[in-house]
Amino acid sequence: SFLTFKIWLRTIRAMLSQYAMPNATKIDVRPGPSTTINKIKNPHLKNAVIFIESHYPESITLESITKAASMNHSTLTQLFKEELYMTPVEYLWQYRITVAKKHLEFTNLPIKDISIRCGFKTIQHFSRKFEAFTNNSPTAFRDMAVAERKAAF
């Protein structure tokens, strides 16, 4: 699909930028708006997802998400579960891990910096969440991603 192509293109650009500037740390590795946004019909839910994807590095609470969506937390949580099969907070963690994976794949940033950029307060919490989502530690994930990139070239 077109979105898959855009993600592939962004990945290639990031890879090429990394080779052109091996010490670069300012490559934008954030995923663009997720495919989820285009599929959401409820405008309140869409606002909540946009809020999460725009503010993920910040300290986000369920209360701040509900304010952005103009809904109460129980209705919003029900909508999230019906349309996205997870709670708003689970969506936030998933999105943060997705961004962290891109940083690990395409930058040389220290893991501690990546954890902070993705909204985690401690590296230990980041590592626990990362492993829960990917079944790999951040270091192991980075090592595998670098090995795959090297094998591709």
Side-chain angles (χ1 to χ4, degrees), residues 80-99:
F80 260 88
K81 286 181 177 181
E82 287 173 3
E83 286 203 43
L84 304 176
Y85 309 105
M86 64 184 80
T87 68
V89 174
E90 289 169 338
Y91 186 86
L92 171 63
W93 292 128
Q94 177 183 316
Y95 191 78
R96 284 176 169 169
I97 295 300
T98 300
V99 175

Side-chain angles (χ1 to χ4, degrees), residues 79-129:
L79 273 173
F80 260 88
K81 286 181 177 181
E82 287 173 3
E83 286 203 43
L84 304 176
Y85 309 105
M86 64 184 80
T87 68
V89 174
E90 289 169 338
Y91 186 86
L92 171 63
W93 292 128
Q94 177 183 316
Y95 191 78
R96 284 176 169 169
I97 295 300
T98 300
V99 175
K101 286 168 61 177
K102 294 297 180 191
H103 280 293
L104 289 166
E105 287 177 296
F106 300 111
T107 72
N108 294 325
L109 287 171
I111 293 173
K112 181 178 180 181
D113 292 352
I114 292 171
S115 70
I116 292 167
R117 286 180 183 212
C118 292
F120 292 90
K121 290 185 178 17
T122 68
I123 192 168
Q124 293 82 6
H125 186 229
F126 169 66
S127 295
R128 274 195 316 274
K129 284 287 187 187

Side-chain angles (χ1 to χ4, degrees), residues 25-37:
T25 58
K26 299 210 183 238
I27 296 172
D28 183 10
V29 294
R30 292 173 298 161
S34 65
T35 56
T36 308
I37 291 174

Side-chain angles (χ1 to χ4, degrees), residues 5-77:
F5 173 75
K6 282 179 67 175
I7 292 170
W8 175 82
L9 185 60
R10 181 176 289 133
T11 303
I12 295 300
R13 285 182 181 153
M15 287 172 51
L16 293 175
S17 297
Q18 189 69 21
Y19 285 108
M21 304 178 304
N23 295 322
T25 58
K26 299 210 183 238
I27 296 172
D28 183 10
V29 294
R30 292 173 298 161
S34 65
T35 56
T36 308
I37 291 174
N38 295 330
K39 295 178 182 176
I40 296 173
K41 292 174 181 45
N42 185 298
H44 297 288
L45 183 59
K46 189 177 277 195
N47 287 340
V49 169
I50 290 169
F51 176 80
I52 290 170
E53 293 184 4
S54 301
H55 297 276
Y56 70 92
E58 303 165 17
S59 181
I60 297 177
T61 62
L62 182 56
E63 182 182 352
S64 62
I65 299 169
T66 57
K67 281 184 183 178
S70 303
M71 298 186 101
N72 68 54
H73 76 279
S74 56
T75 305
L76 182 64
T77 299

